[in-house]
Amino acid sequence: MDYQKLAELLFPNVTMTPEELEAKYPPRNVPEGAVITRMAPSPTGFVHLGNLVQGLTSERMAHQSGGVLFLRVEDTDAKREVPGAVEVLIDTLKHYGIQFDEGATMDGDKGEYGPYRQRQRADIYHVYAKKLVQQGMAYPCFCTEEELAAMREKQEAAKETTGYYGQYAIWRDRSLEDIKAQLDAGMSWVLRFRSTGDVSNQFKFNDLVKGELTVTENNIDQVLLKSDGIPTYHFAHAVDDHLMRTTHVVRGDEWLPSLPFHIQLFKALGFKLPKYVHIGPLMKMDGNSKRKLSKRKDPELALTYYKKEGFPVQAVYEYIMTLLNSNYEDWRRANPNAPAADFKFSPKKLNPAGNLFDYAKLCDVSKNEIAKMDAQQVYSLLLEWAKEFDPEFGSKLEADPDFAIRILAIGRGGKKPRKDIATWAEAKPYMGFFYDEYLEAPCFDEKFDKTVIRSALTKFLERFNFQDDSNTWFDKVKAITTELGFTTDMKAYKADPTAFPGTVADVSTFLRLAVTGKTNSPDLYTVMQILGYDATVARIQKAITLL
Ligand code: GLU
């Protein structure tokens, strides 16, 4: 077979050479050891936690080594493409602090190694496709869908490996005349790789996350170019990662089964194999067993979920870092205020089997992050969230910023700051009672006589002085307790609960319910100070009328 002729027949218009492309995209001028990596998503519009895990891993590896992180859009599958998906992706990752140095951006491409959208690179792929044909490493296959389906059925019935290989690779060694006849008849074709692999051979491969793997050679003649001339992921990533001078491919481990083919392809193309970082899946506990997070079953897989729930960006970031590098948490404890970038991230610390996503742990991390913020910062972030997801609450926060900030300042600062909320969505249930519209009617414990409650509330109103400090205020509550025959001696009450109708804690609860509608609230004295004299009195009076 004259491969040169075949190549001209298949790619008559390709005049560029691999050498010209090599010269156009020279090795990068970066320091020794710099990691050049990329995110290479398909623009399906769904941005998920896995993207963030991959993004963060790549970003850390690139930037902590003085390297480059770029964004390449893998849009070869037009059927899966959703308009605006690239913008959503760029925006979402930026929201989480992942910034690209080059690649596809909101306003076109930026960088010397583009184009960064695969559909715009068809000419480049064809140069290498032609080269492979010239070297006898690729050939056209004219099998129809029906023929391939029939082949598959036959293989399945015979319990054989399915695919295009061995005796099934019917176009592998066809004559130039046969091929020419098909082309002349206008038959459509795909370009296949001529595999020289043998499944009885295995070899060792070192993945930066998975460690040493034993890999079986590939013997399938995989498709390189589809019938429309658009490459498959396999071929496109090999050409792109070579020409874009990627040193590390960080991707999901669903690509591991294709790895033997990818290794073959790099070799056939004469490219240096990049290092691979195959990340395991994110899992969750479902009953007693672990399973992968699923797009269909688990809303928490989508990154939009965290925005909607109102997890601060920093909390999600910190949590993912904790998940990826087990020593991050200790480091953070020792360096509570250091920028995350000071931590030495290592892909080797990633769990090869993937990570268990723990929602409760995320909430804990988030509570800590929010507790570290000052009231003004909490106010700004909460307001930003509320404007989008609870505009009514947002307008209340905005109407009186000082009032909201005083509320948010309760228990903040100091050695043991309060950790009341994990998300902005939890803010309204926590602090909503400060606003009359969200105040719930008190629901007093029926074991207490209404006249006793009324009496406690009335007595409080009679001596409530807004100027009192918290000790004087509490002395008054204690005095009322005693007057009602309740006790302030918690020990005595514990020893014999039948000896008293109730305690100072019960009297406080009457007041708390009247003022906040809840049995649980931040310090009641402080709550009254923030609410103001008139509002406090009005609330207690109203509670009395409801009794
Ligand atoms: N387009 C592939 C995907 O979305 C990218 C895999 C890779 O990063 O190489 O899964």
Side-chain angles (χ1 to χ4, degrees):
M1 161 77 87
D2 183 340
Y3 294 129
Q4 198 59 42
K5 248 196 192 143
L6 177 60
E8 286 310 322
L9 212 53
L10 297 176
F11 300 101
N13 300 322
V14 174
T15 50
M16 221 178 346
T17 62
E19 291 69 31
E20 284 168 304
L21 287 170
E22 291 293 330
K24 184 165 176 205
Y25 303 108
R28 290 170 185 263
N29 190 8
V30 287
E32 175 89 21
V35 170
I36 311 298
T37 188
R38 78 301 189 274
M39 276 194 78
S42 304
T44 60
F46 181 61
V47 191
H48 52 84
L49 265 186
N51 293 125
L52 189 55
V53 166
Q54 192 203 340
L56 227 141
T57 305
S58 330
E59 192 276 338
R60 283 294 76 221
M61 288 178 68
H63 292 156
Q64 79 183 7
S65 65
V68 176
L69 172 68
F70 65 87
L71 175 65
R72 180 171 73 227
V73 178
E74 303 215 322
D75 55 0
T76 54
D77 189 352
K79 283 196 290 290
R80 289 178 66 213
E81 184 162 349
V82 170
V86 178
E87 286 72 15
V88 171
L89 184 99
I90 294 174
D91 200 45
T92 313
L93 291 171
K94 189 165 149 217
H95 184 70
Y96 287 100
I98 297 170
Q99 302 252 32
F100 296 100
D101 305 302
E102 65 177 55
T105 77
M106 294 282 196
D107 335 291
D109 286 358
K110 175 186 142 197
E112 303 292 310
Y113 289 81
Y116 295 91
R117 301 171 204 242
Q118 289 184 329
R119 277 224 291 274
Q120 295 173 18
R121 300 175 61 80
D123 292 351
I124 297 177
Y125 303 124
H126 290 183
V127 170
Y128 289 96
K130 187 171 186 177
K131 175 182 164 179
L132 288 177
V133 175
Q134 283 165 339
Q135 296 176 331
M137 291 184 198
Y139 63 91
C141 162
F142 294 87
C143 280
T144 60
E145 289 291 332
E146 294 72 31
E147 282 175 295
L148 292 174
M151 181 185 289
R152 195 185 172 86
E153 252 175 51
K154 205 168 145 194
Q155 290 168 332
E156 276 167 358
K159 299 211 173 1
E160 289 177 326
T161 308
T162 55
Y164 200 90
Y165 63 96
Q167 51 158 318
Y168 297 105
I170 54 176
W171 280 95
R172 192 177 155 110
D173 292 314
R174 292 290 268 269
S175 67
L176 198 59
E177 290 66 45
D178 281 1
I179 294 172
K180 198 164 178 313
Q182 294 286 319
L183 290 174
D184 289 345
M187 303 306 282
S188 79
W189 53 278
V190 299
L191 189 73
R192 285 188 185 273
F193 182 63
R194 185 191 299 273
S195 176
T196 50
D198 181 339
V199 285
S200 56
N201 293 339
Q202 293 191 321
F203 61 98
K204 302 269 187 231
F205 178 80
N206 200 51
D207 181 271
L208 287 195
V209 175
K210 306 276 175 188
E212 190 179 82
L213 300 169
T214 302
V215 186
T216 303
E217 282 185 7
N218 165 60
N219 68 338
I220 311 265
D221 285 1
Q222 304 271 17
V223 174
L224 301 175
L225 293 179
K226 295 178 264 186
S227 56
D228 53 5
I230 297 292
T232 54
Y233 163 74
H234 313 293
F235 187 46
H237 109 274
V239 171
D240 292 346
D241 280 325
H242 171 69
L243 290 180
M244 295 176 180
R245 306 294 169 177
T246 303
T247 60
H248 291 66
V249 169
V250 180
R251 64 182 181 188
D253 68 0
E254 66 276 14
W255 291 109
L256 265 185
S258 313
L259 184 67
F261 173 43
H262 296 165
I263 296 173
Q264 253 181 332
L265 205 44
F266 272 83
K267 205 161 172 202
L269 287 160
F271 299 159
K272 178 167 185 261
L273 192 67
K275 293 209 161 44
Y276 281 91
V277 180
H278 282 104
I279 302 184
L282 282 171
M283 290 169 291
K284 74 184 274 186
M285 290 308 289
D286 195 351
N288 287 330
S289 54
K290 278 188 206 169
R291 66 163 173 77
K292 277 191 202 178
L293 278 177
S294 117
K295 181 173 172 183
R296 200 168 44 83
K297 292 190 206 153
D298 307 309
E300 71 269 32
L301 183 60
L303 280 183
T304 44
Y305 174 86
Y306 300 91
K307 195 166 181 215
K308 196 159 156 228
E309 287 297 305
F311 281 99
V313 166
Q314 200 50 27
V316 179
Y317 187 97
E318 288 286 311
Y319 175 63
I320 299 290
M321 286 298 267
T322 316
L323 207 59
L324 296 184
N325 271 202
S326 50
N327 53 333
Y328 185 78
E329 224 176 337
D330 285 343
W331 175 84
R332 177 47 88 206
R333 229 171 272 127
N335 303 277
N337 301 314
D342 289 357
F343 173 75
K344 179 99 185 68
F345 181 88
S346 166
K348 296 208 169 80
K349 290 224 159 61
L350 262 69
N351 185 342
N355 283 297
L356 195 60
F357 175 75
D358 180 351
Y359 191 80
K361 173 88 186 179
L362 166 66
C363 288
D364 279 349
V365 170
S366 193
K367 277 185 180 166
N368 280 334
E369 285 303 311
I370 295 178
K372 276 196 240 162
M373 299 174 187
D374 66 26
Q376 177 66 53
Q377 207 179 351
V378 173
Y379 174 75
S380 311
L381 291 172
L382 171 60
L383 180 62
E384 189 186 320
W385 173 86
K387 276 185 172 168
E388 188 171 351
F389 297 103
D390 189 349
E392 189 199 81
F393 183 41
S395 62
K396 298 219 175 339
L397 294 168
E398 216 173 6
D400 190 348
D402 285 347
F403 182 58
I405 291 169
R406 287 184 72 203
I407 299 170
L408 292 167
I410 301 176
R412 213 157 271 287
K415 277 225 163 69
K416 276 199 161 251
R418 289 182 67 100
K419 294 181 183 171
D420 295 290
I421 56 170
T423 66
W424 305 133
E426 287 173 9
K428 191 159 84 176
Y430 163 71
M431 65 188 276
F433 69 83
F434 276 99
Y435 299 88
D436 287 343
E437 297 80 346
Y438 302 134
L439 177 68
E440 289 165 30
C443 184
F444 295 103
D445 190 335
E446 287 183 357
K447 84 176 187 205
F448 297 106
D449 202 277
K450 284 186 178 169
T451 53
V452 175
I453 302 172
R454 188 177 296 120
S455 170
L457 297 180
T458 313
K459 279 174 187 290
F460 181 82
L461 282 183
E462 283 162 9
R463 49 195 98 169
F464 180 35
N465 180 348
F466 200 65
Q467 314 311 324
D468 285 346
D469 63 17
S470 68
N471 287 334
T472 316
W473 177 90
F474 193 50
D475 284 343
K476 288 182 177 177
V477 176
K478 286 198 277 198
I480 296 168
T481 304
T482 317
E483 286 166 34
L484 291 172
F486 284 37
T487 184
T488 55
D489 184 346
M490 298 307 284
K491 256 197 197 144
Y493 180 77
K494 259 205 191 125
D496 181 10
T498 59
F500 310 95
T503 69
V504 67
D506 296 314
V507 174
S508 299
T509 302
F510 300 157
L511 281 169
R512 191 181 302 280
L513 272 165
V515 175
T516 71
K518 292 149 58 117
T519 50
N520 244 319
S521 80
D523 175 62
L524 191 55
Y525 171 80
T526 312
V527 168
M528 289 183 181
Q529 288 294 312
I530 294 172
L531 268 179
Y533 181 81
D534 291 345
T536 304
V537 168
R539 285 182 176 200
I540 297 175
Q541 280 171 341
K542 176 135 188 242
I544 294 174
T545 64
L546 292 174
L547 274 161

